[in-house]
Amino acid sequence: MLEWAYAGINFSAKTTEPWADDGGIECAAHSTLRQRLFETTLTLIIASWEIYYATYHAKNQLGTSFPREYARERQGRPSVLRRLVLVCYALLWGIEIGFKLASRQLIYILNPCHMVTLIQIILLTFSSNYYTRGLYRLHVGMLNGGTLAIYFPVTSTRLFPFEVELYYIQHILILVVPVFLLSSHGGYSLEPVGSFRWTISAIATFRFYHYLVLQPISLLTWVNLNGVLCPFQFDPFIGRYYRLWANIHQTLFMIIHHKLFSVVARTCVQFDIRRIMYYTARRQHQKMTISDISKDK
């Protein structure tokens, strides 16, 4: 019934392995059902424990509240710049959906990077509150996909002009928008470097999403969504247990990426040009006020 969403995917583009990166019957047969059940059960147990730990045991660590780090929360309507960024970002995402509809590959919109883009559009749309601040911190732990997509691009399914360029623009914006939100008077803040509550929550969310959402859809359609059906050709851990290896190296990478991104984002916000201009203008105003007082004397 939903074949129109993946009818345009080419399952015959094979290179070194007997299966295609995009999916197909050979890709679906890479792992037995018994192995998939074992890996899914093990991963969900680990993810459930991570949610429990992040919710209860890490509750008293740093980072449970939402301090206004480097940004003052703006009351009322969002700034013109923020609304402009929202319009441009939503337009790019709409063009991306249009490309996938035209190529009959809409199923790829379920890939994690597109979901992160949707979260960022939501954060740009709504004003800051307790839930959006939590969503902001959670999604910052999921930005590793943007970095991986830039260094290991998968563009073979992009057929239209400007579609490859849009791929890079989208994934660069995935890394830039959180810094913009942090510095745009939105009241958002990053998890302290010494706390891992939101990092663990993001990792567990990724596990649930891959094994409970992407994997069933991939098995029904034979589409290799984010590598849950069979390993990509460039996977250094290609083999029978590549998913277990992926759980290990991606967990480590998400932790490292989250903490490094937090450090870089804080550094960028500290040197925010708008803030520098604000303090420069404020100092000039103070000097003018002091000079006026001295003249009156």
Side-chain angles (χ1 to χ4, degrees), residues 233-244:
Q233 310 291 333
F234 57 79
D235 192 336
F237 297 94
I238 193 169
R240 181 180 178 184
Y241 298 103
Y242 80 97
R243 277 183 296 268
L244 294 179

Side-chain angles (χ1 to χ4, degrees), residues 238-263:
I238 193 169
R240 181 180 178 184
Y241 298 103
Y242 80 97
R243 277 183 296 268
L244 294 179
W245 282 111
N247 272 285
I248 296 172
H249 64 69
Q250 285 306 300
T251 297
L252 295 175
F253 181 67
M254 287 183 73
I255 294 173
I256 296 171
H257 188 277
H258 189 190
K259 297 309 175 183
L260 285 178
F261 181 85
S262 298
V263 173

Side-chain angles (χ1 to χ4, degrees), residues 51-101:
I51 290 294
Y52 174 79
Y53 177 83
T55 304
Y56 296 101
H57 289 272
K59 190 173 182 179
N60 295 324
Q61 292 182 0
L62 293 171
T64 55
S65 59
F66 305 114
R68 298 164 191 171
E69 248 173 294
Y70 297 106
R72 172 180 58 84
E73 184 174 4
R74 186 191 297 276
Q75 301 296 331
R77 293 183 177 182
S79 64
V80 175
L81 180 60
R82 180 169 171 176
R83 282 182 282 180
L84 181 62
V85 171
L86 170 62
V87 171
C88 294
Y89 204 19
L91 179 63
L92 287 173
W93 201 59
I95 295 173
E96 182 74 24
I97 294 175
F99 278 141
K100 297 193 182 307
L101 283 171

Side-chain angles (χ1 to χ4, degrees), residues 14 16 23 34 69 171 178 204 244 252 265 282 294:
K14 304 172 185 177
T16 59
R34 182 177 180 179
E69 248 173 294
H171 289 94
L244 294 179
L252 295 175
R282 186 176 178 180
S294 60

